[in-house]
Each structure stands twice: as C-alpha cells, then as structure tokens.
Amino acid sequence: MRLYIIRHGQTDWNIEKKIQGRQDIPLNERGRYQADCLSKAMKNRPVTAVFSSPQIRAMETAEAVAASSGAPVIPVKNLKEINYGSWEGKTEEELLKEDRTLYEAWWSHPAETAPPGGESISQVNERCRQAWKEIRPQLAGDAAIVAHGGLLAHFLEQLLGSESPAASTVAHNASITTVEYEPETDRFMLVEFDNYRHLL
C-alpha cells in the first residue's frame, strides 16, 4: 500500500514568506496551476481516498488530487498546520526584531517552547499521532494525505522515525512524497521524498 503525502499548493503568503499557521489563506494563481499539475500527476497514482487538513489551501489541493480518481476527500482536523499563535502573518525578519528571545528559544527547544497563543512541537507530534490513528482504520488501498509544510515534516517523522528527511528539509509546495506502508507489520519505507517534477 502506498501513501502519497502532499503539501498544498502555493499561496500569496508563501511568496511573502509570512507564517500562515491556522490562517485560512487560499491558493493563489500559481497554487491553482500546481493543483492542476498534481491532478494530472496523480492519474498514474490512483488512490481510494484523500485525507486532508480542513484548511482551504489544503482542501483546494486535495480536491484536485481526488479529481483524477474520483476518490472521496476526507477532512482530518488533526492535519491542520501548526498553530503559531501571534506569530502568524509575520515574517522571520519581523519576529527577529520583535520577539527574538522567544523565537530563538523556540528554534532551540521547540518541544518545550510555544509561540504566544500557539502550540509546542510536543503538542504537534501528538496531533500527528492522532491523525494517523484516525486515518489508518479508513485505509482501503493507496491513499493521499494533503496538509502543510510544517505539520507534514512532523507527520513524516512519526511514520519514518529518524530516517525521515523531513527533519531537515521542508517539502516544496505541491510536492509528492511516497511512502510504502505494510499494514500487516505496521512498517513504513520511504520510496521518494519531495518529488515536484510534475510542476516543471
């Protein structure tokens, strides 16, 4: 069984390098083009279901992914992006000026440190475990999982452990990461990480 783990298409805030978090930012023109490219690419990767973050940028992408096979899109609340609290809408440059001490502490100790009004990485990891716990019983064959750059980095770590390349690299917008899953043994194997050739 294959899991196609997909980051949503581009938004204006991606271009502006603003932290999106829980803000419901839609795909921009480039993002919609990327979603269309994904739809075409997924024709060679038919799926039985598409599990998605309920945020609009992910759902727009998920609907395009599902269109190629007619699979249902199933919203999964725990696939929402990391909650960055009051940092959302700001750039890293702005945070280094306004909140440098806490921002640097968050990078150094993200498991224990949370943005003001946001969540720690320990909480994010727990959400990732809960998301997989919800998805796994619904699998009936190959499936796609559509979510966000920050969240998916931790979701992949939950599946692959220390072998996950997402620990040091955030996948590109509208990229496909393929994971082979053996339900009988509950084992995961990375087949391909961050494939965005369909966008070129």
Side-chain angles (χ1 to χ4, degrees), residues 15-195:
I15 296 172
E16 296 164 7
K17 300 187 183 305
K18 290 182 178 180
I19 296 172
Q20 294 184 101
R22 295 297 177 85
Q23 304 305 302
D24 231 2
I25 312 301
L27 299 181
N28 61 16
E29 184 177 354
R30 171 70 180 168
R32 291 189 292 274
Y33 166 78
Q34 291 173 334
D36 185 57
C37 290
L38 269 172
S39 182
K40 293 171 182 173
M42 291 301 292
K43 286 181 180 177
N44 299 322
R45 304 171 175 89
V47 295
T48 58
V50 180
F51 301 93
S52 177
S53 158
Q55 291 175 262
I56 189 169
R57 56 192 184 272
M59 288 294 287
E60 288 178 322
T61 307
E63 286 162 7
V65 169
S68 61
S69 59
V73 175
I74 302 170
V76 178
K77 185 178 178 181
N78 279 315
L79 288 177
K80 283 185 176 182
E81 179 59 299
I82 296 169
N83 183 350
Y84 290 100
S86 64
W87 291 355
E88 293 178 6
K90 297 182 179 180
T91 64
E92 181 178 55
E93 184 179 354
E94 288 172 327
L95 289 174
L96 286 171
K97 288 179 181 177
E98 299 171 11
D99 206 1
R100 176 181 286 270
T101 301
L102 184 59
Y103 187 65
E104 289 181 343
W106 181 77
W107 274 107
S108 301
H109 307 286
E112 297 83 28
T113 308
E119 61 185 335
S120 70
I121 295 306
S122 293
Q123 292 171 305
V124 174
N125 288 334
E126 180 57 30
R127 279 203 296 113
C128 289
R129 285 189 285 271
Q130 292 301 318
W132 176 243
K133 189 175 179 180
E134 180 178 345
I135 291 167
R136 185 183 171 192
Q138 300 183 69
L139 293 173
D142 292 355
I145 298 170
V146 181
H148 311 266
L151 187 285
L152 286 178
H154 296 281
F155 186 80
L156 281 165
E157 284 189 74
Q158 295 302 309
L159 302 187
L160 301 169
S162 59
E163 296 178 16
S164 173
S168 57
T169 306
V170 175
H172 288 77
N173 286 112
S175 66
I176 303 170
T177 292
T178 305
V179 174
E180 192 77 35
Y181 172 54
E182 294 181 358
E184 301 81 10
T185 59
D186 210 31
R187 291 180 62 185
F188 302 89
M189 183 180 73
L190 180 66
V191 176
E192 187 174 43
F193 176 68
D194 194 24
N195 176 358

